[in-house]
Amino acid sequence: MQKVALIFTGGTIAMKVNSKLQGAVPSVTPEEIVSAIAEYTPYENLETFEFSKLPSPSITPDKMHELKSIIDGYLENPAFAGVVVVHGTDTLEETAFYLDIVSSSDKPVVLTGSMKNASELGYDGLTNLVSSIKVVLEPTSRGKGVLVVMNYAINSAWEVTKTHTLNLDTFQSVEFGPLGIIDDEDVIYFRERTQRKALNLKSAFSDDVHLLKVYAGMGGELIDALVDSGAKGIVLEALGRGNVPATMMDAIKNARQAGVAIVIVSRCIGGRVLDTYGYIGGGKDLVRHGCMLGGNLSGPKARVLLMVALSNGLSRKEIERLFA
Ligand code: ASP
C-alpha cells in the first residue's frame, strides 16, 4: 500500500487546555495523535513530519511557501499516494488556496484540522485525520486540486470558507456544496470543482499586498496610507456587486496612478462581482479607473492570488484572466 505523509503545522487539533492559562495551547505531539488513531485504525503506511506547532493566526505567506517545498518532497516520491496537512482552521483556507494555485502534482493534498481541542468532549481531530487519510488513499481523489476535509465533507480549496466560529461543520462551499463526503469506508464524490484548470503558478509571492473591507461612509485614508507605505497591490472587499462609496474614488485613482494593482471582490458571502453600476464608485467606474474584478473569490483568497500573480511577473491582462 502507498504511504501517506502527515505534515503537522499546529492548530487546535494539537492543543489541550492549560489549567494555569485557562486556555487551549499547543501541547499534543504528532506521535500522540497518530498513536491515538492506531487504537481505532492500525494504519502502517503513515509518515509524520512536524513542520511547526503554530496556531494558524501565526501562519504567514513565508510559512506557506516553506510548507509547499516540504509537500513537494513527498509528492515527488513514488512511495507516497499524497499528503495530509494538519493546520489550524482560522487561516486554513488561505494556505489551502495558496497550495492549490501553485500546485503542479495530480496527487491529493488534503488540509484538515479540528474545531475542538484534545481536552474537549467530542474532540473531532481523530475523525478528521482518518477521513483525510481515506481521501488521500482513494484513487479518484487525484487531479481534484487541493482539498479541505472536515466533518466528513470534502471541499475544494477554491470554494470553501470557514463559516462559523464554533460548529464542527464550519467549512462550507456556500455557493456549490461539497465535492463529496466520507461515508464509513467509502469516499464518494458528487461533482467536479468549479475551477477546472490547474494554474501552476510559481510559488513565490510578494508580501506588499493588502486587504481592506469596505463599509458605509468609508473614505480614502486607509488606501492613501497603504500607497504611502509602498503597497504593490490592494484587494478591496467591496459592497454588493462590487461597488464602493464615492468618497473612496480620489484615493483609488491616486493609487492606480502610483501603479498599485487594485482587485475588487465582494464582502457578500456568495456571488461574483460585475461592472453593473455606472455611478461614481460603482463597478463600471472602478473598472474605468483601472481596477480589476476578482470574480467570486473571497477577500483573503483574492489577496493570495494577487500576491502570487504579482511576484510571477504577470501582465495586467494575464492577472485579469486569472481572476476572470
Ligand atoms: N485558532 C485555532 C487555529 O487556527 C483554531 C483551530 O485550529 O481550529 O489555530
Side-chain angles (χ1 to χ4, degrees):
M1 186 186 258
Q2 277 195 300
K3 296 209 252 181
V4 179
L6 307 179
I7 303 179
F8 288 80
T9 69
T12 297
I13 189 168
M15 295 190 197
K16 273 187 179 166
V17 172
N18 174 296
S19 50
K20 244 204 210 136
L21 294 170
Q22 299 271 300
V25 292
S27 43
V28 189
T29 65
E31 290 69 34
E32 286 170 324
I33 295 174
V34 171
S35 60
I37 287 179
E39 285 178 30
Y40 302 93
T41 322
Y43 286 112
E44 280 168 9
N45 55 342
L46 305 180
E47 189 163 313
T48 57
F49 179 91
E50 186 163 55
F51 174 81
S52 63
K53 296 176 194 300
L54 291 172
S56 73
S58 294
I59 295 283
T60 58
D62 260 327
K63 289 276 166 211
M64 295 178 198
H65 190 239
E66 222 181 290
L67 181 61
K68 152 87 176 143
S69 63
I70 306 283
I71 293 171
D72 282 349
Y74 287 106
L75 296 179
E76 284 156 17
N77 183 339
F80 285 86
V83 173
V84 177
V85 178
V86 178
H87 198 289
T89 60
D90 290 350
T91 61
L92 187 148
E93 66 202 68
E94 277 153 275
T95 300
F97 182 77
Y98 170 77
L99 293 173
D100 190 85
I101 61 175
V102 299
S103 120
S104 49
S105 171
D106 258 4
K107 289 186 180 177
V109 173
V110 172
L111 277 84
T112 193
S114 76
M115 290 302 286
K116 296 193 180 207
N117 67 68
S119 307
E120 283 181 287
L121 200 61
Y123 171 57
D124 51 331
L126 303 185
T127 317
N128 289 338
L129 197 46
V130 170
S131 293
S132 303
I133 294 165
K134 287 179 183 166
V135 170
V136 167
L137 290 173
E138 163 58 42
T140 56
S141 296
R142 285 181 72 104
K144 296 207 182 297
V146 173
L147 301 168
V148 174
V149 168
M150 294 275 290
N151 202 42
Y152 303 112
I154 310 166
N155 286 287
S156 158
W158 268 81
E159 300 165 359
V160 76
T161 194
K162 184 174 180 180
T163 62
H164 199 279
T165 57
L166 174 70
N167 285 349
L168 304 194
D169 67 347
T170 181
F171 281 93
Q172 303 276 340
S173 296
V174 179
E175 284 196 83
F176 311 109
L179 296 185
I181 55 167
I182 299 95
D183 180 350
D184 205 352
E185 291 312 308
D186 299 324
V187 173
I188 303 166
Y189 287 100
F190 305 132
R191 66 172 180 89
E192 293 300 324
R193 64 182 185 149
T194 49
Q195 171 68 20
R196 283 173 194 277
K197 287 179 293 159
L199 300 182
N200 290 336
L201 292 165
K202 280 190 258 125
S203 59
F205 61 88
S206 151
D207 227 353
D208 305 327
V209 177
H210 302 265
L211 168 62
L212 294 176
K213 193 172 198 119
V214 177
Y215 51 84
M218 190 168 181
E221 305 86 336
L222 295 177
I223 291 177
D224 290 342
L226 289 177
V227 174
D228 289 347
S229 77
K232 294 199 182 74
I234 301 174
V235 173
L236 292 176
E237 231 180 60
L239 309 168
R241 193 73 153 147
N243 313 304
V244 303
T247 41
M248 290 179 72
M249 284 311 295
D250 283 345
I252 287 173
K253 287 184 225 166
N254 289 339
R256 286 296 306 133
Q257 263 157 24
V260 178
I262 301 183
V263 172
I264 307 294
V265 293
S266 177
R267 69 179 201 181
C268 294
I269 198 161
R272 62 177 188 148
V273 290
L274 202 66
D275 53 347
T276 304
Y277 294 98
Y279 56 75
I280 297 174
K284 272 235 151 50
D285 196 30
L286 288 164
V287 169
R288 193 164 43 239
H289 289 103
C291 298
M292 294 178 272
L293 298 178
N296 64 354
L297 282 178
S298 68
K301 288 181 188 173
R303 173 179 173 260
V304 170
L305 188 54
L306 186 57
M307 273 191 334
V308 174
L310 289 175
S311 57
N312 272 252
L314 300 189
S315 68
R316 192 197 152 81
K317 275 255 144 350
E318 288 168 321
I319 298 180
E320 273 174 351
R321 233 177 287 135
L322 270 188
F323 279 99

